[in-house]
Amino acid sequence: MEKSIESIWKQGFINSDALVAPKLNKLYNQKSIHIIDKFKRMFRINLNAIVAGSILFLGISFVIGIPYMGIGFFLTLSIIVIVNRRLSRGLNKIDKSESSYQYIKAFDNWMKQQVSVNRIMARFYYPLFFLSGVLGFWQYHFNGKQLGEAITNKLILNYPGIDLIFGVPLFIILGVILMMVMLSYFGGKLYQWDLKVVYGGVLRKLDEIIADMEELRNT
Amino acid sequence: MSNDFYAISIKPYAAIIIKICRAYTNSQEDFEDYYQEVCLQIWRTRNNFRGQSEWSTWVYRLALNVSLTMLKKRKNNQQYFTSEFLPNELTESNQAFPDEDLNQLYDAIKRLSELDRGLILLYLEEKSYKEIAEITGTNPNNIGVRIKRIKERLKKLLDGKVD
């Protein structure tokens, strides 16, 4: 290659045909999407779906006789929605006109904060969903009897020496606690895994660009 | 976006946007998407411009930042950075410019890392090291060395000495 890259650049753009701007008429037919807009849209859709779903389930739970489950789900989901709505506000503060490093770093910081808050929440909401489910079914009336009471009576008949706490067999309480502890332990990991599957490539790429920029800032 | 805004604030700087978007895309379709996304973001953030830098620098910054963080939709709804490396054999024919040498140079630029693409584009646009550092948020003292390395790599790529 005889020519320098500078001369290729200059000569290549002498011809005005080299710089034909496309018409801006495909705004609603884009094949690509900006990552921040994507997150904003995703958050809005997800949160609206959660609100609608939790209200619907709350109503259904009263109708079918499992109100504890409905209330538990509704309260837990409401907290998730409120927290994530607040988190999504941070996306609006990211200024695309900052230097590339500040911009990428701001987005990365937002991502990390969002992941960390949701990972902590996942450790609580998975056990709470489980507990709400158990309480819902425990209070559920089946053939005129409370399901929990019927189970307890049957257990007492078969195992008369069974320990009870507030009228509930101890081993059931221990089982529920054990399950909640396991869900709490795996909740954060489940969220992390989910995130990795959906956004692993993006997060890796962000890390690479930041590492490259930091090398250029510091060396 | 009003026609006036486009005619006054974007059209005169379209060349900058075109040059950057071409370096981060592999097809005409993607290029058009990136171009209009950059224009849209310029319009959306226009009120943040305080005149502390030239408008052209502002446009460079936005075009670069938007291109660095664009995603391409896939049929299976997974997303990825379009600028991820694809071997030349797998990319569609991309004769974006009438000049063959320029096309080859762009092909070589696309094989650089995301940051290096931005740096070399700014260098070729005759931005000073200080301006390049301001736009990218890096250290001006390190820009010269990095540009030298990028140029060497580009030369090797153009000479076919590296894959």
Side-chain angles (χ1 to χ4, degrees):
Chain A
M1 181 62 64
E2 292 296 316
K3 290 189 212 166
S4 68
I5 61 164
E6 291 88 344
S7 63
I8 295 173
W9 189 261
K10 271 187 188 156
Q11 285 171 21
F13 288 114
I14 287 172
N15 185 340
S16 58
D17 292 346
L19 292 165
V20 180
K23 283 190 175 175
L24 298 180
N25 58 0
K26 296 198 306 151
L27 281 177
Y28 299 101
N29 188 29
Q30 277 187 273
K31 298 281 181 295
S32 315
I33 186 165
H34 195 258
I35 191 167
I36 291 181
D37 292 338
K38 180 189 151 46
F39 269 94
K40 277 186 199 166
R41 195 177 309 166
M42 190 192 78
F43 261 65
R44 201 172 52 239
I45 293 168
N46 282 355
L47 298 183
N48 288 343
I50 291 174
V51 169
S54 64
I55 291 171
L56 187 72
F57 186 69
L58 182 66
I60 292 171
S61 71
F62 274 89
V63 173
I64 63 173
I66 48 170
Y68 285 99
M69 197 193 292
I71 292 168
F73 276 35
F74 179 76
L75 291 177
T76 311
L77 289 169
S78 297
I79 293 167
I80 295 172
V81 168
I82 290 166
V83 171
N84 276 287
R85 204 156 259 171
R86 281 182 181 219
L87 282 173
S88 71
R89 281 185 209 150
L91 277 176
N92 297 325
K93 291 178 191 158
I94 296 175
D95 187 354
K96 295 186 185 89
S97 58
E98 291 269 19
S99 75
S100 303
Y101 178 74
Q102 285 167 316
Y103 164 70
I104 301 262
K105 198 77 185 156
F107 180 67
D108 188 59
N109 285 340
W110 178 83
M111 264 308 270
K112 283 192 174 126
Q113 190 202 7
Q114 190 260 127
V115 168
S116 136
V117 170
N118 276 291
R119 197 177 49 218
I120 292 167
M121 283 206 305
R123 297 180 64 178
F124 291 97
Y125 63 66
Y126 281 114
L128 283 172
F129 284 139
F130 177 71
L131 182 66
S132 305
V134 171
L135 284 175
F137 283 115
W138 195 261
Q139 299 290 330
Y140 181 62
H141 283 264
F142 182 71
N143 285 343
K145 264 190 177 177
Q146 203 185 52
L147 193 64
E149 236 178 72
I151 293 170
T152 308
N153 290 340
K154 203 153 198 175
L155 285 168
I156 291 169
L157 275 176
N158 290 330
Y159 310 98
I162 198 169
D163 290 323
L164 299 176
I165 293 180
F166 301 114
V168 181
L170 178 63
F171 82 91
I172 289 184
I173 293 175
L174 290 176
V176 169
I177 290 172
L178 181 71
M179 194 64 194
M180 286 175 72
V181 169
M182 280 173 67
L183 284 170
S184 175
Y185 179 76
F186 289 113
K189 290 197 187 310
L190 270 173
Y191 176 77
Q192 198 81 25
W193 177 78
D194 187 34
L195 196 82
K196 209 173 169 182
V197 169
V198 183
Y199 295 109
V202 175
L203 298 175
R204 215 172 24 252
K205 205 76 203 169
L206 274 180
D207 286 343
E208 276 172 26
I209 297 174
I210 289 171
D212 203 5
M213 282 178 173
E214 284 180 344
E215 191 193 323
L216 202 56
R217 282 166 71 87
N218 303 324
T219 49
Chain B
M1 193 184 312
S2 73
N3 288 339
D4 284 353
F5 181 81
Y6 183 78
I8 296 164
S9 305
I10 295 183
K11 211 173 175 187
Y13 306 93
I16 296 169
I17 307 170
I18 292 170
K19 287 172 185 175
I20 290 179
C21 293
R22 283 281 181 207
Y24 287 90
T25 54
N26 286 318
S27 69
Q28 181 65 20
E29 222 176 6
D30 287 348
F31 161 70
E32 288 176 12
D33 276 353
Y34 276 48
Y35 180 86
Q36 70 178 15
E37 184 63 32
V38 171
C39 293
L40 188 65
Q41 297 300 342
I42 291 172
W43 180 72
R44 279 185 183 159
T45 56
R46 65 197 183 282
N47 294 331
N48 295 352
F49 181 67
R50 300 272 175 265
Q52 287 160 338
S53 60
E54 283 180 33
W55 179 253
S56 64
T57 305
W58 171 270
V59 173
Y60 270 113
R61 204 177 276 174
L62 265 162
L64 195 58
N65 289 349
V66 169
S67 296
L68 283 170
T69 45
M70 280 288 279
L71 300 163
K72 193 163 105 175
K73 285 180 187 170
R74 266 181 176 175
K75 277 180 185 169
N76 61 5
N77 287 331
Q78 281 185 310
Q79 282 83 26
Y80 62 103
F81 278 77
T82 42
S83 44
E84 274 174 14
F85 170 72
L86 267 179
N88 283 341
E89 292 82 0
L90 291 178
T91 57
E92 59 189 274
S93 168
N94 187 20
Q95 297 298 304
F97 305 104
D99 187 291
E100 185 49 37
D101 287 344
L102 187 60
N103 281 322
Q104 281 182 16
L105 178 58
Y106 257 95
D107 284 344
I109 288 172
K110 285 176 196 173
R111 297 178 70 178
L112 301 171
S113 73
E114 271 79 6
L115 178 61
D116 285 353
R117 282 182 228 186
L119 295 174
I120 200 67
L121 289 174
L122 294 169
Y123 165 79
L124 290 169
E125 285 295 295
E126 297 178 337
K127 294 279 173 193
S128 69
Y129 292 165
K130 190 169 169 277
E131 282 175 293
I132 296 174
E134 274 172 22
I135 292 168
T136 55
T138 52
N139 186 340
N141 298 328
N142 302 327
I143 296 288
V145 180
R146 177 68 80 98
I147 295 283
K148 192 168 171 277
R149 273 191 224 148
I150 300 170
K151 281 174 67 181
E152 281 167 4
R153 178 156 167 75
L154 280 178
K155 196 169 177 337
K156 281 182 186 167
L157 285 165
L158 289 168
D159 291 344
K161 286 182 183 162
V162 287
D163 289 328

